[in-house]
Amino acid sequence: MRNLALLLLGLISVPVMALTNVDLYRSEVVLDQELNNADAAARKEGMKEVIVRASGDRAAVDNEIVKKALNQHSQYITQISYRDVEQGRAIQMGFSAPHIRSLLTQAQLPFWPAQRANLLVWLVEDNQANRNIVWEHTDSPVLKQMREQAQVRGLPLTLPIGDFDDITGIAVSDIWGGFIDPVAAASQRYPVEGVLVVRASANMVRWTLYDHTPNEMASSLQTPLSARNSGDDAITRMIDDISDYYAKKNAIVVAGESSEVTTVKFTNVQNALDFFQLEKKLLALSSVASLDILKLQGNEVTFSVHLLTPEENFIMEAERMGQVLKVETPPVPVQLPEPEATPVQLPEGEAVPTQLPEPVLDESSNTEMNVEPESIEVIELEPVTQAVTFEWQGHNLKPVSIQSESEPSTADESVIENQSPAVEVQEAIPVQLPEVVEATGEEFTL
């Protein structure tokens, strides 16, 4: 019994290394009451925060596909609530994880998984009078700013609790001087994947990141990551630099199709100018992520359209953009497979019967015998995918007269001499498209 108790005590005292699971898809934004559309602006900012946290890329919000999705933020939000905070009224939002990941895939942006390395932070503040270690419950503006920015970026941080073991196990001079051995020894009681040493004074921050477990700090040959930041945003830039480091190290780019893909055919595309004008209009739609050309044949072009919205929204948006007319196509008839004839083997010398045999009767009951039908084979038919069809009418636009704003209207033409005539825009010279061009996987972007 005594041995069992010692064994359990030994298991409890050994720290278990485990990554921290970060909630990537929730955000909170304080409403700016000075804006007319404060609620919509806050939802857009909340989605930006989630995209940066999930991708690990601060520039992700500048991606063209992401910009389109931000204008449709309501399709990504799953939960909304409000609460009062110190700065005013705040909105709390939850976003759909599958939709956000699909958006990152469509935009070819990286995904930083939610399982992330947890960092132990040894922070010393120098307020000119003295230097102090910042513990977990210390009221420190520097620590508050670190935690807020780490929450935005999804970087897990752990502060030492400051109990008797911490206070007696490490000194301020050990941290400020950057001595590895005492820092590594004091860190071993915490189950973390890295150690961050921060020395803050006035508006300057010097930091060193040891990307190892505490047990490996002293023996590792890997050079720690060190930097110095200054200014009012020094803490924010430090957290951003460390987050960028781990995101670049652990993020992945998932190559795949978007969650919504539809096949669209356009008829009456008579020349190259029609084609490029049509392509430009489609890519400008907020529901379209990208286009792939499937076929060019005669005056018809077929696209594979990767969507950011359901197909119904794309069709409505395409009809509103003008110069196209949706064509109702009849359903494709289903071709049943031809039944296979089974040859009948007759005995040698026996003639092929020309008349069906008479039914066999049971003489005792004078009733016709029942013949069991053969089992019926069920044929599974594959669904037929039919393209949404539009007729392109962009080339039917009439020539327009271009008139300078400084020129008088038509009503004044009779009293003004030497007026230049209106300039008529000539139609483009038709260019014959190739008869049949097959293409797969070719993506057109502007």
Side-chain angles (χ1 to χ4, degrees), residues 419-434:
Q419 180 172 342
S420 301
V423 180
E424 184 174 334
V425 178
Q426 298 181 354
E427 294 187 356
I429 301 175
V431 179
Q432 185 65 34
L433 293 175

Side-chain angles (χ1 to χ4, degrees), residues 207-221:
W207 55 272
T208 303
L209 173 63
Y210 298 92
D211 187 15
H212 329 283
T213 61
N215 291 332
E216 300 170 336
M217 282 181 61
S219 59
S220 176
L221 299 178

Side-chain angles (χ1 to χ4, degrees), residues 178-252:
F179 298 107
I180 295 181
D181 290 339
V183 172
S187 304
Q188 290 186 12
R189 61 187 302 222
Y190 294 98
V192 294
E193 290 74 43
V195 177
L196 176 63
V197 177
V198 183
R199 288 149 288 186
S201 59
N203 288 335
M204 181 176 294
V205 176
R206 292 180 296 157
W207 55 272
T208 303
L209 173 63
Y210 298 92
D211 187 15
H212 329 283
T213 61
N215 291 332
E216 300 170 336
M217 282 181 61
S219 59
S220 176
L221 299 178
Q222 181 180 345
T223 304
L225 184 65
S226 300
R228 175 183 298 181
N229 302 108
S230 59
D232 295 336
D233 61 344
I235 297 296
T236 299
R237 286 189 286 130
M238 176 188 71
I239 296 298
D240 282 340
D241 290 342
I242 297 172
S243 300
D244 293 344
Y245 166 77
Y246 278 104
K248 184 177 180 180
K249 176 182 176 182
N250 299 318
I252 55 175

Side-chain angles (χ1 to χ4, degrees), residues 115-404:
Q115 295 289 330
R116 300 184 179 181
N118 187 12
L119 303 181
L120 178 65
V121 179
W122 292 104
L123 170 61
V124 173
E125 284 186 307
D126 183 2
N127 57 9
Q128 296 183 351
N130 49 38
R131 295 170 181 168
N132 298 306
I133 300 176
V134 176
W135 307 109
E136 182 181 15
H137 300 292
T138 302
D139 185 10
S140 165
V142 174
L143 177 59
K144 181 180 179 182
Q145 190 176 357
M146 286 182 62
R147 282 175 165 166
E148 289 177 351
Q149 186 61 19
Q151 171 67 25
V152 171
R153 294 302 306 270
L155 182 67
L157 299 180
T158 296
L159 271 293
I161 58 179
D163 60 0
F164 179 79
D165 290 339
D166 283 337
I167 295 174
T168 58
I170 195 168
V172 173
S173 58
D174 296 331
I175 301 173
W176 194 265
F179 298 107
I180 295 181
D181 290 339
V183 172
S187 304
Q188 290 186 12
R189 61 187 302 222
Y190 294 98
V192 294
E193 290 74 43
V195 177
L196 176 63
V197 177
V198 183
R199 288 149 288 186
S201 59
N203 288 335
M204 181 176 294
V205 176
R206 292 180 296 157
W207 55 272
T208 303
L209 173 63
Y210 298 92
D211 187 15
H212 329 283
T213 61
N215 291 332
E216 300 170 336
M217 282 181 61
S219 59
S220 176
L221 299 178
Q222 181 180 345
T223 304
L225 184 65
S226 300
R228 175 183 298 181
N229 302 108
S230 59
D232 295 336
D233 61 344
I235 297 296
T236 299
R237 286 189 286 130
M238 176 188 71
I239 296 298
D240 282 340
D241 290 342
I242 297 172
S243 300
D244 293 344
Y245 166 77
Y246 278 104
K248 184 177 180 180
K249 176 182 176 182
N250 299 318
I252 55 175
V253 177
V254 181
E257 301 292 339
S258 57
S259 58
E260 290 283 346
V261 181
T262 187
T263 303
V264 184
K265 181 171 67 174
F266 289 88
T267 63
N268 207 19
V269 181
Q270 297 185 0
N271 52 57
L273 293 180
D274 282 351
F275 170 80
F276 289 115
Q277 186 179 4
L278 171 62
E279 181 191 41
K280 183 177 180 180
K281 281 185 169 291
L282 289 176
L283 288 172
L285 298 180
S286 60
S287 57
V288 176
S290 60
L291 301 174
D292 294 331
I293 300 177
L294 297 182
K295 181 186 292 186
L296 280 171
Q297 183 173 4
N299 291 337
E300 295 182 356
V301 56
T302 304
F303 294 102
S304 176
V305 184
H306 300 258
L307 300 176
L308 296 170
T309 64
E311 182 180 299
E312 295 78 10
N313 294 8
F314 162 73
I315 294 176
M316 293 174 56
E317 197 175 19
E319 290 177 322
R320 288 198 299 265
M321 78 179 183
Q323 301 183 4
V324 295
L325 178 65
K326 190 173 185 297
V327 179
E328 298 296 335
T329 55
V332 179
V334 179
Q335 281 284 40
L336 294 176
E338 294 290 339
E340 296 183 1
T342 305
V344 179
Q345 294 289 340
L346 296 177
E348 294 183 2
E350 185 174 337
V352 178
T354 58
Q355 185 176 1
L356 294 175
E358 295 294 332
V360 181
L361 300 178
D362 188 351
E363 295 180 356
S364 60
S365 60
N366 199 26
T367 58
E368 186 174 346
M369 295 180 62
N370 294 326
V371 180
E372 293 292 334
E374 296 182 357
S375 60
I376 301 175
E377 182 182 359
V378 179
I379 303 175
E380 295 184 0
L381 300 178
E382 295 184 359
V384 178
T385 303
Q386 191 170 5
V388 181
T389 304
F390 292 91
E391 181 183 349
W392 171 249
Q393 298 180 333
H395 55 274
N396 292 329
L397 295 178
K398 296 180 179 180
V400 296
S401 296
I402 302 176
Q403 182 172 304
S404 173

